[in-house]
Amino acid sequence: MPRARPETVGQLRAWLGEMTADPTRRCFAVQRRDDGTVIGSTSMYDLDLTESRTEIGATWFDRSCWGGPYNVESKLLLFTHAFEDLRLARLALRTDNLNVRSQRALARLGLVHEGTLRSHMRRPDGTRRDSLHYSLLAEEWPTVRDSLRARVTAKSAG
């Protein structure tokens, strides 16, 4: 993430407070079904219902949940909400050029790489990052939805 990881409960509360106070952001906890444990979070931000678009970000998962069905299933639910409930035309995600794992995950989710904003943001260590932008359009959603459903079914059965 482009901001420093919270080191105290107070910092985490302040960060979550900022995000939940933003009227253009909707935050979601990701819970494991079997025990209700919160294992991650994701949010829509820069939500613009007039322009019919949003960005997805501030996504994180407990490291023990990487590679399981959680990211795919949470994105299936979030994208369904965006396209079927909110009737958005577009959603976008972006990632650090150094985060190859995230880039691969976005491609596997069915998003299209649109381009790179060079020297887009400052990392917590002060270095500059390039941001790779990905998107998904409403007309692409049915195909991506079917693919994500198949992946969730396969991972849940495995």
Side-chain angles (χ1 to χ4, degrees):
M1 288 193 196
R3 63 174 13 183
R5 196 175 294 208
E7 295 180 16
T8 67
V9 171
Q11 289 174 346
L12 179 59
R13 282 190 178 133
W15 181 49
L16 293 173
E18 289 172 25
M19 288 196 306
T20 57
D22 180 349
T24 68
R25 182 181 288 268
R26 294 185 184 174
C27 301
F28 302 91
V30 179
Q31 290 182 285
R32 224 178 2 231
R33 282 186 182 170
D34 59 351
D35 63 6
T37 300
V38 174
I39 57 167
S41 180
T42 192
S43 64
M44 292 179 172
Y45 65 96
D46 291 339
L47 177 60
D48 186 332
L49 297 176
T50 302
E51 291 297 328
S52 193
R53 67 178 182 229
T54 193
E55 286 201 47
I56 307 293
T59 300
W60 59 267
F61 286 90
D62 184 85
R63 191 176 298 264
S64 68
C65 298
W66 290 4
Y70 308 109
N71 186 46
V72 175
E73 189 168 358
S74 70
K75 291 303 187 294
L76 173 60
L77 294 169
L78 191 59
F79 295 177
T80 298
H81 179 58
F83 291 118
E84 297 177 21
D85 299 331
L86 299 178
R87 303 280 187 208
L88 298 182
R90 167 191 172 80
L91 61 79
L93 291 93
R94 60 184 167 191
T95 189
D96 190 309
N97 62 297
L98 299 180
N99 191 343
V100 175
R101 189 179 60 81
S102 179
Q103 294 164 37
R104 288 184 187 137
L106 293 173
R108 280 192 314 270
L109 287 169
L111 283 89
V112 174
H113 178 238
E114 294 187 319
T116 302
L117 294 181
R118 299 176 306 146
S119 194
H120 179 233
M121 303 171 80
R122 190 177 311 280
R123 293 185 184 99
D125 68 2
T127 61
R128 301 292 303 181
R129 101 176 201 180
D130 295 345
S131 293
L132 281 68
H133 282 248
Y134 293 78
S135 69
L136 182 61
L137 305 180
E139 57 267 21
E140 299 163 340
W141 169 236
T143 302
V144 170
R145 179 189 57 216
D146 293 346
S147 173
L148 294 179
R149 283 179 178 165
R151 286 181 60 195
V152 167
T153 300
K155 283 195 177 222
S156 297

